[in-house]
Amino acid sequence: VFIDKYVIVDLSGTLRARQQDRLREWAGRVQWADALPDALNGVVLGNEVLDAMPVKLLARVDGHWFERGVVRVCSDGNGGGAPVDAPGDGGEPSAVASGHWAWADRPTTLRPPVDVPGEHDHLTEIHPQAEAFMRTLADRLQHGAAFLIDYGFPEAEYFHPQRHMGTLACHHLHKMDDNPLAQVGDKDITAHVNFTGVALAAQDAGLDVLGYTTQGRFLINCGLATVLDALPHDAAGLAQRAMAAKLVNEHEMGELFKVLAVAPAASSQGCCPWGLRRVTAPIPYECHAAQGQRCGRVCAVRSRCGRGAGRMIRWVLVIFLALLLISWLTPLLQRLGFGRLPGDFRFRLFGREW
């Protein structure tokens, strides 16, 4: 596929300079922008975009929900987050220069989109910024499609009661921790993506969901194996195969990372991208509608309701028939000497041979 123009939206001047150096071979086709254009006609690729968007922290403590925020605690121990007027070193207010950051909870009416079972304390996130981004995308994407690749879960997994510590994490110099209040400004702060909420926001804004699957399945369906087979069998080819394995292996990035594809109605009719033509990941939210219908929470990913139950019934029938066949053949096999070991003994009880 020939790409006529590739536009990168990146607000970081440092990253932009590194990108320009790395992509100088394609300088004639690659451009940089500070914001999304008013109208989009083409393919939008969002690789680890949603996880970098701000989230709201919700904490259930002793059965009550709170929104968790941040305050600045002064050196004298008084909180409240209101710095004094006198500037400290570097032009910062003195309270900011001499104090430290701390968590602060306040009662809220905000709730996770689904109930979290149990009475234990629970910390999680909601994603209003990511959902707002999908509305912006729907407003500007006129023709084409958007592929969002990120680490995250469907709703049922994201708000599982065992995920009681949330997904907020920090990254700095290839190290990971869960304390965003330390080394403020030096670390990347991320949270996993609730793909159910993102898909529903896209649909509510008028986009159609083309599909949803894991990154590993997406790349394999796109023909990654064929590309790897064509690589030379030398050190360079081995290194590329190792990097590809990290992208598709389930214990690496293949399972945790997902791919969600959306498109405006004008472009979605009869469209199923190559990477999603054999979608094997489950629908990213629970559905109770009849086959092919839409339920209250909207079957976004090619309604597959009831297919899982059908497969289970088929397996039960196969196992039942196999047991019947084995039971019927057992006497014949025993007469032929199969299934008996030296030292085995048999006895008769209740009119049956054991």
Side-chain angles (χ1 to χ4, degrees):
V1 177
F2 179 80
I3 300 176
D4 181 59
K5 184 170 67 173
Y6 192 93
V7 181
I8 300 177
V9 180
D10 200 323
L11 303 183
S12 170
T14 303
L15 291 178
R16 181 179 296 192
R18 291 166 56 186
Q19 293 162 3
Q20 290 172 341
D21 180 67
R22 185 72 175 268
L23 301 174
R24 59 183 179 275
E25 181 180 348
W26 298 276
R29 280 183 278 168
V30 181
Q31 302 175 10
W32 278 261
D34 296 324
L36 290 175
D38 294 334
L40 289 167
N41 292 280
V43 176
V44 178
L45 179 62
N47 184 39
E48 294 191 53
V49 171
L50 298 176
D51 70 85
M53 295 187 177
V55 297
K56 288 183 178 289
L57 291 179
L58 298 183
R60 183 177 65 188
V61 181
D62 296 331
H64 301 284
W65 283 101
F66 299 87
E67 182 179 358
R68 179 156 293 178
V70 178
V71 296
R72 191 70 179 177
V73 179
C74 302
S75 57
D76 61 0
N78 296 322
V84 298
D85 295 332
D89 294 339
E92 287 186 308
S94 59
V96 173
S98 61
H100 64 275
W101 299 108
W103 295 115
D105 293 348
R106 64 181 181 184
T108 182
T109 57
L110 296 174
R111 295 290 187 274
V114 295
D115 291 334
V116 179
E119 300 179 356
H120 60 285
D121 291 350
H122 192 92
L123 179 66
T124 189
E125 308 90 19
I126 57 175
H127 306 73
Q129 290 287 90
E131 295 172 9
F133 173 77
M134 298 306 296
R135 291 190 288 270
T136 299
L137 193 60
D139 180 59
R140 303 190 184 188
L141 184 59
Q142 298 179 350
H143 295 90
F147 294 83
L148 302 168
I149 306 170
D150 228 312
Y151 43 87
F153 308 103
E155 191 173 79
E157 295 179 37
Y158 199 102
F159 300 103
H160 194 280
Q162 291 182 356
R163 202 178 302 282
H164 61 92
M165 298 298 291
T167 69
L168 193 72
C170 304
H171 299 271
H172 178 60
L173 298 177
H174 303 289
K175 295 182 179 180
M176 180 179 174
D177 65 79
D178 59 357
N179 184 13
L181 304 185
Q183 295 178 278
V184 177
D186 294 331
K187 298 191 293 188
D188 291 331
I189 304 175
T190 73
H192 285 46
V193 177
N194 171 18
F195 278 99
T196 301
V198 171
L200 290 172
Q203 282 197 314
D204 291 342
L207 294 174
D208 288 339
V209 175
L210 301 179
Y212 167 83
T213 189
T214 63
Q215 176 177 277
R217 293 290 182 180
F218 180 81
L219 293 175
I220 291 172
N221 293 345
C222 283
L224 179 63
T226 303
V227 175
L228 296 179
D229 286 341
L231 292 176
H233 296 279
D234 54 15
L238 180 61
Q240 289 182 295
R241 288 186 176 90
M243 289 188 289
K246 186 173 183 179
L247 295 176
V248 300
N249 284 343
E250 293 183 352
H251 66 282
E252 294 279 1
M253 300 170 64
E255 184 71 23
L256 178 61
F257 279 69
K258 311 296 194 305
V259 180
L260 176 69
V262 298
S267 302
S268 65
Q269 299 303 317
C271 174
C272 185
W274 277 106
L276 299 167
R277 292 196 176 185
R278 293 168 57 198
V279 176
T280 55
I283 297 175
Y285 40 81
E286 188 175 0
C287 177
H288 304 284
Q291 177 70 29
Q293 296 181 353
R294 291 178 177 251
C295 59
R297 291 196 59 74
V298 191
C299 253
V301 185
R302 307 287 176 117
S303 178
R304 293 166 173 256
C305 311
R307 293 191 182 183
R311 284 193 294 267
M312 183 178 68
I313 293 174
R314 286 197 296 272
W315 275 111
V316 170
L317 289 175
V318 168
I319 294 172
F320 177 73
L321 293 175
L323 291 175
L324 283 180
L325 181 62
I326 292 173
S327 177
W328 180 74
L329 290 175
T330 296
L332 175 62
L333 294 174
Q334 288 177 344
R335 283 197 294 270
L336 295 175
F338 290 98
R340 300 183 63 181
L341 296 174
D344 285 353
F345 65 94
R346 309 184 68 82
F347 61 94
R348 196 169 183 82
L349 181 65
F350 302 124
R352 179 178 177 183
E353 187 174 333
W354 301 82

